Amino acid sequence: MNSRLVARLLTRPWSRLGEWRRRSADVVRHQLGRLGAADRAALCAALPALRTLAVTLREEADET
């Protein structure tokens, strides 16, 4: 028998999840700030394709 049930386990308490997200965002901001202008421009140019990818991945996940 194949079960398609999925369980999601969060290892962090909800109260700490926001803190973790803030720290992660700070790290990303810091590293983006260290990139050169050409790399930042390349990332900006890639954003539309990355958004499309994120949408299609979410749609696929919702279908399963």
Side-chain angles (χ1 to χ4, degrees):
M1 177 167 106
N2 285 333
S3 175
R4 294 182 67 91
L5 296 175
V6 176
R8 183 173 174 181
L9 176 64
L10 296 175
T11 58
R12 298 180 182 272
W14 285 108
S15 61
R16 294 186 58 205
L17 189 57
E19 175 186 334
W20 177 82
R21 285 181 176 162
R22 281 189 296 280
R23 282 196 319 245
S24 295
D26 288 344
V27 168
V28 170
R29 266 192 298 279
H30 175 72
Q31 294 302 324
L32 285 172
R34 296 181 65 195
L35 293 177
D39 287 334
R40 285 193 306 272
L43 283 173
C44 286
L47 285 176
L50 291 171
R51 283 188 189 107
T52 300
L53 177 62
V55 167
T56 59
L57 288 171
R58 176 160 292 190
E59 288 171 351
E60 183 174 323
D62 289 345
E63 291 172 1
T64 59

